[in-house]
Amino acid sequence: MTDIEIANSITPLPIVEVAKTLGVNEEDLELYGKYKAKINNFKLKPKGKLILVTAINPTSAGEGKTTVSIGLGDGLKLINKNVCLALREPSLGPVFGVKGGATGGGYSQVVPMEDINLHFTGDFHAITSANNLLCSFIDNHIFQGNALQINPEKIIFNRCLDLNDRALRQIDVAMGGKNGVKRPDRFNITAASEIMAILCLSAGLDDLKERLGKILVAYDVNDKPVYAHQLGVNNAMTVLLKDAIKPNLVQTLIGTPALIHGGPFANIAHGCNTIVATKLAMTYADYVVTEAGFGADLGAQKFLDTKCRIANLKPNAVVIVATIKALKLHGGAEKNNLQEENITALKKGLPNLLKHIKNITEVYKLPAVVAINQYLTDTEKEINLVKREAEKLGVKAIISNVWGKGGEGAIELANEVVELCEQDNSKFEFTYKLNQTIEEKITNIATKIYGASKVNFSDEAKKTIEDIVATGYDKLPVIIAKTQYSLSDDAKLLGAPEGFEINIKEIQLRGGAGFIVAIAGSMLLMPGLPKVPAGEKMEIDNEAHIKGLF
């Protein structure tokens, strides 16, 4: 059966009943039909254990991090634990681009899959509208006399759209003579926008409003910073986001509650769901399973160094997802031959997994377990090799078969996670200190987490760092936008490369979000569509229900 056939074969519980299992009353819900709701009345008193699910560097062979996250949540439920998932919302860019949907697969899915993957409760649309409202205010301010003396050549806040569209990476606006001041601009994908990051890192509505006002939008003719609050737009932006800040409640195929809220990418943004949803899940449940995008060098690093620092969170356990196929691909095996036993390639690819294990246990000093997301073609010899190498680092590697068995395929993993959650996590450390320079923070991430030997900064990046220091925002956390496919900034360097250099071409201040972005290598903030987009494969029935996209 396909994922959609499996989802359609199971009748979900009314979302009101799912809410009751968490202790949420019906009057505290805003219903979006029978199976979706926003929680609109709550107090955050996090007490539950926090479990972070991350992965090796992704490959075309697939890793299944979200599927394992959902299966682990169901596994914890099956061993009678009070559990809630806290996941990200899918973006329409990947849905119609390369990856397709992001709601799990097989018997480890969140539902209603079709709704979640498409418009859901409208959060992405609200974020896009708030972002572009600010852009329209900037250009209108200049057109109406430019009292703030904004330099049109130094506007740094860009428009956004929740689709992959390379044609929008570089555009001209105000064309036609009477439409304002002609200037270059560009679109970012909504998942990489600062408004998305602000929503995800805000503690609530008041904090959201304050952060929106702190957005650095431009520099004036005297090179002084101009912020969103000076344009008088942050109240209007907050109104657009007043519902989007409320967490969305759905469920897995067996009725495990899932808060799905916020959706920043991990390669070009900070890759974590909202702080509000994570803390709300920890308020209601004893165990909370969350995930961070792509490999541990991106999503987990940003979760641990940025989200945990801002939200004052400390994970109790980390699950690192890997597949035998992906490790063989990291070791140089041909994609068409991954189903064949290949110990040589597996040995060459294993350092990628081992590097991520060491980062979690030695750099961050957190308890960890490896989840081997199993394929039928995995051999006993290959599985045992992964287990032995992980155990040398003091970490168990456990088979997960959640696609085919749902939560029952994660019972052993769930029991191990419960044990890890009882271990001491008080030694948790960040990769860098906030009082370090921007260059030092970036270098710490690149050398400690990626394994780089050196970081090179472009002249443009150096100039922006000087500007940020002048604004006083240089003590913020740093995130790096880079390829997800490699520990380096070169997508072709697989495994665990050594001796490479990281090249920072651009620095951006996200003052409202509360972090600094360093763009490495050839990373772009607006993805393009592939030659054959996933949207071309979409089929619909007579009622326009999707048959073949996810």
Side-chain angles (χ1 to χ4, degrees):
M1 297 175 71
T2 66
D3 291 350
I4 287 181
E5 288 170 334
I6 290 170
N8 290 341
S9 70
I10 296 172
T11 301
L13 296 170
I15 200 63
V16 172
E17 297 302 316
V18 176
K20 286 180 181 178
T21 67
L22 271 181
V24 179
N25 297 321
E26 184 173 357
E27 56 265 30
D28 295 329
L29 299 177
E30 291 179 8
L31 300 179
Y32 284 68
K34 193 174 182 180
Y35 304 116
K36 298 173 293 182
K38 280 186 172 290
I39 301 178
N40 65 7
N41 184 24
F42 54 83
K43 293 182 179 179
L44 302 178
K45 296 181 179 179
K47 64 183 187 310
K49 306 286 189 180
L50 183 59
I51 302 148
L52 172 64
V53 180
T54 183
I56 62 172
N57 289 93
T59 69
S60 56
E63 289 67 51
K65 174 169 51 61
T66 302
T67 303
V68 170
S69 299
I70 297 166
L72 173 59
D74 284 346
L76 287 164
K77 180 179 180 178
L78 292 177
I79 60 172
N80 299 315
K81 300 301 179 183
N82 176 21
V83 59
C84 183
L85 291 158
L87 306 175
R88 293 175 298 159
E89 301 177 48
S91 160
L92 291 179
V95 165
F96 293 105
V98 177
K99 292 179 62 178
T103 51
Y107 287 92
S108 291
Q109 298 186 48
V110 282
V111 289
M113 179 216 297
E114 188 175 301
D115 293 358
I116 296 168
N117 276 310
L118 297 177
H119 305 290
F120 201 18
T121 58
D123 294 345
F124 270 68
H125 301 308
I127 291 165
T128 302
S129 296
N131 184 101
N132 293 340
L133 178 67
L134 174 54
C135 291
S136 68
F137 266 59
I138 295 169
D139 284 303
N140 182 64
H141 181 88
I142 296 171
F143 179 79
Q144 301 292 351
N146 200 7
L148 293 173
Q149 294 188 295
I150 294 171
N151 184 343
E153 296 181 358
K154 292 190 176 182
I155 296 172
I156 63 173
F157 190 85
N158 307 121
R159 289 166 166 82
C160 74
L161 183 71
D162 187 34
L163 290 171
N164 291 0
D165 193 346
R166 63 174 54 83
L168 297 178
R169 290 172 181 166
Q170 187 174 350
I171 62 170
D172 287 324
V173 296
M175 304 291 286
K178 296 183 179 180
N179 299 316
V181 177
K182 177 183 173 182
R183 65 179 182 85
D185 199 0
R186 66 185 183 187
F187 276 73
N188 299 332
I189 192 166
T190 299
S193 68
E194 183 170 2
I195 308 300
M196 173 64 79
I198 288 172
L199 183 85
C200 291
L201 295 172
S202 293
L205 198 63
D206 290 340
D207 187 34
L208 174 69
K209 176 183 171 181
E210 183 178 351
R211 287 174 178 271
L212 291 170
K214 290 180 179 178
I215 295 172
L216 175 66
V217 298
Y219 290 91
D220 67 16
V221 293
N222 297 310
D223 281 338
K224 300 293 184 182
V226 179
Y227 299 98
H229 71 84
Q230 294 175 262
L231 295 166
V233 67
N234 49 316
N235 282 345
M237 294 168 70
T238 305
V239 169
L240 283 172
L241 297 169
K242 67 180 180 64
D243 292 318
I245 192 68
K246 302 170 186 175
N248 306 300
L249 177 65
V250 290
Q251 63 189 296
T252 71
L253 293 178
I254 66 168
T256 303
L259 295 176
I260 299 184
H261 196 211
F265 292 160
N267 54 351
I268 54 180
H270 79 283
C272 312
N273 73 317
T274 66
I275 287 175
V276 171
T278 301
K279 287 190 171 182
L280 186 61
M282 294 173 69
T283 299
Y284 287 118
D286 296 328
Y287 292 87
V288 173
V289 178
T290 191
E291 55 90 27
F294 293 127
D297 56 318
L298 288 170
Q301 184 273 315
K302 294 168 182 179
F303 182 95
L304 297 169
D305 279 313
T306 302
K307 179 175 178 176
C308 286
R309 196 190 303 258
I310 292 173
N312 193 28
L313 294 171
K314 187 184 298 182
N316 297 91
V318 179
V319 179
I320 305 170
V321 179
T323 64
I324 301 292
K325 283 186 175 184
L327 290 172
K328 288 190 288 191
L329 205 56
H330 271 289
E334 294 292 332
K335 184 179 179 181
N336 294 334
N337 296 326
L338 295 178
Q339 71 278 7
E340 299 176 3
E341 182 177 272
N342 191 337
I343 298 299
T344 300
L346 182 56
K347 285 182 177 178
K348 289 181 179 178
L350 263 169
N352 185 271
L353 170 62
L354 302 180
K355 173 62 175 167
H356 290 302
I357 293 174
K358 289 178 182 177
N359 286 346
I360 298 299
T361 61
E362 297 177 11
V363 177
Y364 295 109
K365 295 180 171 55
L366 288 170
V369 59
V370 173
I372 304 174
N373 194 14
Q374 188 177 24
Y375 284 86
L376 293 175
T377 55
D378 298 343
T379 69
E380 186 176 352
K381 192 174 181 181
E382 289 173 330
I383 291 170
N384 287 337
L385 174 59
V386 175
K387 287 184 175 183
R388 286 197 305 272
E389 292 302 310
E391 285 170 2
K392 289 179 182 178
L393 299 178
V395 169
K396 287 185 180 179
I398 294 173
I399 289 292
S400 167
N401 186 5
V402 295
W403 192 95
K405 295 183 179 180
E408 294 209 359
I411 296 295
E412 184 182 358
L413 179 63
N415 281 314
E416 174 64 14
V417 164
V418 169
E419 288 190 26
L420 290 179
C421 285
E422 298 307 314
Q423 292 186 16
D424 180 19
N425 67 343
S426 63
K427 296 180 180 179
F428 171 56
E429 290 185 3
F430 299 118
T431 307
Y432 56 83
K433 293 179 171 56
L434 290 181
N435 61 6
Q436 290 181 296
T437 66
I438 295 172
E439 293 94 334
E440 287 171 337
K441 295 171 191 173
I442 294 170
T443 300
N444 271 17
I445 296 170
T447 55
K448 291 182 179 181
I449 303 301
Y450 306 162
S453 60
K454 182 183 178 184
V455 178
N456 302 311
F457 295 88
S458 70
D459 290 341
E460 179 184 350
K462 291 176 182 177
K463 175 63 172 65
T464 306
I465 289 173
E466 292 177 3
D467 293 339
I468 293 173
V469 171
T471 66
Y473 278 103
D474 54 307
K475 301 310 177 187
L476 293 176
V478 167
I479 72 163
I480 300 178
K482 76 168 185 70
T483 178
Q484 65 268 32
Y485 298 113
S486 172
L487 284 159
S488 72
D489 59 11
D490 180 354
K492 296 179 181 178
L493 287 180
L494 302 184
E498 296 178 345
F500 61 89
E501 299 179 359
I502 293 289
N503 300 292
I504 303 299
K505 66 175 183 179
E506 186 179 349
I507 299 284
Q508 296 181 359
L509 172 61
R510 303 287 177 89
F515 57 68
I516 295 161
V517 179
I519 301 175
S522 57
M523 209 63 208
L524 298 166
L525 302 187
M526 169 57 82
L529 291 170
K531 187 172 183 179
V532 182
E536 281 191 29
K537 305 169 188 176
M538 181 174 64
E539 298 177 9
I540 58 175
D541 61 21
N542 291 334
E543 296 181 354
H545 292 302
I546 294 171
K547 295 167 62 179
L549 181 59
F550 309 125

